[in-house]
Amino acid sequence: MVSVEEALQKILSCIEVLEPETKPILDCSGQVLAEDIRSTIDIPPLDNSAMDGYAVKADDTHGVSEASPKILSVTGKVAAGSMPRGKVKRGSAIRIMTGAPLPQGADAVVPFEDTDEVARKASHRDLSQIGILREVPEGMNVRRKGEDIAKGSLVLKKGTVLRPSKIGVIASLGRPTVAVIRRPIVSILATGDELTDIDQPLPAGKIYNSNTYTIAAEVRQYGGIAKILGIGRDSVRSLEQKIDEGLDSDMLITSGGVSKGDYDVVKDVLAKCGEITLQTVCMKPGKPSAFGMIGKGSRKIPHLGLPGNPVSSMVTFEQFARPAILKMMGKSNLAKPSIRAIMEDDIVNTDMRRLFARVTVAKRNGKYYARVTGPQGSGILTSMVKANGLAVIPESTKRVKSGDIVEVQMLDWGEEVY
Ligand code: AMP
Ligand code: MG
């Protein structure tokens, strides 16, 4: 029996980062950049106004106030998206909108509210002149060319995970496509003579195949593409045939058939089509699991055999399949987001394995508190439904008492990739 860390290390040592693909930026959310992004333009491309107002020479506003305004002649106007005609000379101003390029000669913008424009309009006075009511220093309300991104600069580094702000910044550079590490295709095979497809009536003695759907949803949540192989029966032939269908993918995940009490068919087939390098992990739920490389000829893919019990399957997926998928996608942070919480229930951990207790975490007065979600049997999938975290109880801890601090892996924190 190996520790969770040893098992993870073994698995990750067999996982390779996948190749890049170039595709539309909006399809790259949550993927890892496979190229450095440099800017070929300045952003903003020109000096421009940060306010609606009047472009002026700051010198012309020196010493002005509401009591002694300076009257400037208005020689034109410029809207966002057009280029200014004419220059701002001493004693003059050009009416300007937010985002419009700053006219030559101007070095500051006086916002409308610091002029007498409203009063002039109300009293039908001449708008070919404007009264400046407040002094502005040079550069006031001006956004400088290249102040956000300078032409030639490195904007995003290879290895960056693309999130909305980063997709936006790539768009601002005028790039419709980008190179990212491709998403892994993960084949999913449920095994067991007791399983029935979810669109069929349920015969006596059978159960619906839920693991395929939990696993497929998890694969998608972490950025992979799920290929559903359906149900393999507990016979070597059936499994071999199904596994064959999955060999063109990047990883195969099976559920069931790896525990001692089972017919051990998954193990038999694995031994035939590949090798099992790892069998049992010192964890609960999830002790029976298998890992190895599987395939034909020179093409071999990693195979992770999860336990059949729905909770064990999910917990094992979180510990091993998730980091494997993230690694294939080129991600470097593989750790599950975790917090420290105060337990509000006692937990008993008798058999010296690492226990992943399903808990509900709530924040009160700035502290996290965790409660066990009720019955913890590895077949009770609703214990996962109620949970938003997995409390990690070390192998050596026999008992956690209410009030003790525990580490909790948070289940749905910041991992959505769509
Ligand atoms: P096994 O690891 O094959 O011995 O499976 C253990 C138990 O997990 C079985 O008795 C089933 O109750 C359950 N199980 C196995 N596969 C699935 C599945 N695909 N969906 C739901 N439950 C399953
Ligand atoms: Mg089975």
Side-chain angles (χ1 to χ4, degrees):
M1 196 148 62
V2 297
S3 70
V4 174
E5 284 74 20
E6 285 167 325
L8 180 59
Q9 209 181 6
K10 177 83 223 170
I11 292 169
L12 291 180
S13 72
C14 299
I15 301 285
E16 309 256 358
V17 177
L18 299 177
E19 329 75 68
E21 59 179 353
T22 296
K23 57 185 198 175
I25 55 173
L26 199 50
D27 298 337
C28 298
S29 197
Q31 284 181 272
V32 171
L33 257 183
E35 58 170 325
D36 284 340
I37 302 285
R38 287 183 184 279
S39 182
T40 55
I41 54 173
D42 281 306
I43 299 178
L46 295 169
D47 290 353
N48 69 93
S49 180
M51 301 282 278
D52 291 337
Y54 286 86
V56 299
K57 282 185 181 297
D59 260 1
D60 273 345
T61 70
H62 195 70
V64 308
S65 66
E66 270 183 52
S68 70
K70 167 96 172 199
I71 307 299
L72 300 177
S73 57
V74 179
T75 59
K77 60 180 175 189
V78 57
S82 40
M83 289 301 287
R85 270 179 278 140
K87 292 183 183 176
V88 169
K89 300 197 189 88
R90 185 164 276 286
S92 77
I94 287 180
R95 199 166 183 271
I96 192 165
M97 297 301 136
T98 305
L102 199 70
Q104 270 185 37
D107 57 18
V109 172
V110 180
F112 287 152
E113 49 274 32
D114 293 335
T115 70
D116 63 1
E117 191 185 272
V118 173
R120 264 172 198 273
K121 278 184 178 158
S123 56
H124 305 290
R125 269 185 291 157
D126 180 11
L127 287 171
S128 69
Q129 292 194 318
I130 193 75
I132 306 297
L133 311 179
R134 193 183 287 193
E135 187 173 323
V136 283
E138 191 184 324
M140 190 69 178
N141 301 318
V142 174
R143 303 193 281 222
R144 290 293 173 199
K145 168 180 171 172
E147 74 174 19
D148 186 0
I149 296 170
K151 184 173 174 175
S153 63
L154 178 62
V155 184
L156 295 173
K157 269 198 191 147
K158 189 172 167 171
T160 302
V161 179
L162 294 181
R163 299 283 175 216
S165 61
K166 286 152 192 164
I167 289 173
V169 94
I170 298 171
S172 77
L173 304 173
R175 293 231 7 207
T177 60
V178 80
V180 288
I181 306 294
R182 73 175 174 84
R183 298 180 186 281
I185 299 169
V186 180
S187 286
I188 299 160
L189 175 62
T191 69
D193 286 341
E194 75 279 30
L195 301 178
T196 300
D197 277 323
I198 56 173
D199 56 357
Q200 298 298 313
L202 191 65
K206 307 277 182 189
I207 58 168
Y208 281 124
N209 164 24
S210 62
N211 286 353
T212 288
Y213 299 91
T214 326
I215 295 168
E218 286 174 310
V219 165
R220 284 188 183 180
Q221 183 174 22
Y222 299 130
I225 298 163
K227 178 176 171 182
I228 292 177
L229 302 179
I231 300 169
R233 297 302 168 193
D234 288 326
S235 77
V236 174
R237 250 191 71 143
S238 166
L239 287 177
E240 265 180 352
Q241 193 192 336
K242 284 286 182 187
I243 286 173
D244 241 27
E245 290 170 30
L247 290 180
D248 59 353
S249 54
D250 300 301
M251 178 155 91
L252 169 69
I253 296 182
T254 55
S255 91
V258 287
S259 59
K260 283 214 181 79
D262 218 279
Y263 296 96
D264 277 355
V265 237
V266 172
K267 282 180 192 165
D268 286 351
V269 176
L270 282 181
K272 237 175 127 184
C273 314
E275 62 195 78
I276 308 175
T277 49
L278 184 97
Q279 287 194 26
T280 51
V281 185
C282 185
M283 61 188 282
K284 185 184 171 178
K287 185 174 155 194
S289 43
F291 180 77
M293 299 299 287
I294 193 166
K296 283 194 188 136
S298 60
R299 179 162 168 80
K300 293 223 182 322
I301 60 168
H303 163 252
L304 182 58
L306 304 179
N309 274 310
V311 176
S312 313
S313 158
M314 280 195 85
V315 172
T316 314
F317 186 102
E318 289 293 344
Q319 306 313 312
F320 306 118
R322 174 184 174 277
I325 290 171
L326 298 187
K327 181 170 177 187
M328 281 192 270
M329 291 183 72
K331 299 200 179 178
S332 46
N333 180 10
L334 308 183
K336 190 83 188 152
S338 73
I339 54 155
R340 294 179 70 73
I342 303 164
M343 266 322 296
E344 294 193 287
D345 291 307
D346 289 358
I347 300 175
V348 179
N349 185 23
T350 43
D351 45 5
M352 312 273 288
R353 285 192 270 154
R354 187 165 312 172
L355 175 64
F356 293 90
R358 282 123 271 158
V359 294
T360 309
V361 174
K363 199 173 183 183
R364 295 197 300 272
N365 302 325
K367 286 183 178 159
Y368 290 109
Y369 293 87
R371 297 215 76 133
V372 175
T373 59
Q376 297 280 295
S378 54
I380 301 179
L381 193 50
T382 51
S383 69
M384 279 305 276
V385 172
K386 291 176 194 151
N388 61 356
L390 296 173
V392 186
I393 316 301
E395 294 81 330
S396 55
T397 303
K398 290 208 166 70
R399 186 180 197 98
V400 173
K401 289 195 290 301
S402 179
D404 288 352
I405 306 281
V406 292
E407 187 203 338
V408 180
Q409 295 183 350
M410 297 308 291
L411 284 171
D412 293 317
W413 269 13
E415 311 229 48
E416 296 72 26
V417 293
Y418 300 104

